[in-house]
Amino acid sequence: MTDQELHKLNRKELLELLLDQSRQIDSLREQLQQAQAQLTSRQLLLNKAGSIAEASLQLNRVFEAAQSAAEQYLENVQTFSERQTMVCRKLETESQQKADALLSEMQTRCQAMEAETRAKCEAMTREAEENTNQAWQQAQEKIQQVIDQHSALKDLLNTISKEAANS
């Protein structure tokens, strides 16, 4: 299976591949155990083989088969490990890119919200200043009216008191 095909596999297919590898490993272990059992039972080999030379040749074949199975197992484990590492790196890169994009988007949104808030605050400040200026103008007008009314009262009182003094 090529790396490109491996990348196209989904999680379920990868797990199935892993299960197949596991089954193959179990099968190889069983073969190894059988080979070791045959080795430990030299009596069977000697009975089966007519001479020590034949037994030695058969033992060599068993060792070769066990060695070959072990090498195949190690190759399969290494290949699967490399594939998993590549898939993990790809997922990590994609995740980092998504996180960076989200962070950038959030920063943009925050800046827009901050600008909008500042604009609202400035508008509220201008409105408050305008309201304050209007209230101050109205207060000044009322104060001036009161002063004008008191001046008229003072003038009227002065006129009355002058008339009373003259009479």
Side-chain angles (χ1 to χ4, degrees):
M1 182 177 284
T2 66
D3 287 347
Q4 209 172 34
E5 292 171 338
L6 182 64
H7 287 295
K8 290 182 182 178
L9 296 177
N10 61 30
R11 186 177 271 179
K12 181 181 176 187
E13 292 170 334
L14 286 172
L15 288 173
E16 288 175 3
L17 182 63
L18 183 58
L19 283 172
D20 289 342
Q21 291 291 323
S22 188
R23 287 185 194 123
Q24 186 177 10
I25 290 168
D26 290 341
S27 172
L28 291 173
R29 284 184 181 157
E30 184 177 322
Q31 288 177 7
L32 182 59
Q33 287 176 349
Q34 289 174 358
Q36 287 174 341
Q38 288 177 356
L39 286 175
T40 56
S41 175
R42 289 185 181 184
Q43 200 65 353
L44 289 174
L45 280 176
L46 290 176
N47 288 340
K48 200 174 187 183
S51 69
I52 294 177
E54 287 177 17
S56 176
L57 284 174
Q58 287 183 359
L59 280 174
N60 282 340
R61 288 186 200 131
V62 169
F63 282 131
E64 287 172 1
Q67 180 66 31
S68 175
E71 288 172 358
Q72 184 181 8
Y73 168 75
L74 289 174
E75 285 177 18
N76 287 340
V77 168
Q78 185 177 7
T79 301
F80 185 73
S81 176
E82 289 171 357
R83 288 177 185 164
Q84 287 296 88
T85 301
M86 289 172 40
V87 168
C88 289
R89 283 183 184 151
K90 180 181 177 186
L91 289 174
E92 181 182 5
T93 301
E94 289 173 358
S95 296
Q96 186 63 44
Q97 288 173 347
K98 286 179 182 178
D100 291 344
L102 286 173
L103 181 61
S104 176
E105 180 183 339
M106 289 309 297
Q107 287 175 339
T108 303
R109 284 184 181 178
C110 287
Q111 289 172 350
M113 287 173 61
E114 183 180 354
E116 182 181 333
T117 302
R118 284 183 188 195
K120 285 181 181 179
C121 286
E122 288 172 2
M124 289 172 66
T125 301
R126 280 191 305 272
E127 184 180 340
E129 287 174 355
E130 288 173 9
N131 289 341
T132 302
N133 289 337
Q134 285 177 356
W136 181 247
Q137 260 183 343
Q138 289 172 355
Q140 283 179 334
E141 288 173 5
K142 286 182 182 180
I143 290 170
Q144 189 61 46
Q145 286 175 358
V146 168
I147 291 172
D148 289 344
Q149 286 175 358
H150 282 313
S151 293
L153 277 175
K154 278 184 181 180
D155 289 342
L156 182 62
L157 284 176
N158 284 335
T159 307
I160 292 173
S161 52
K162 284 182 185 178
E163 287 178 6
N166 289 336
S167 13

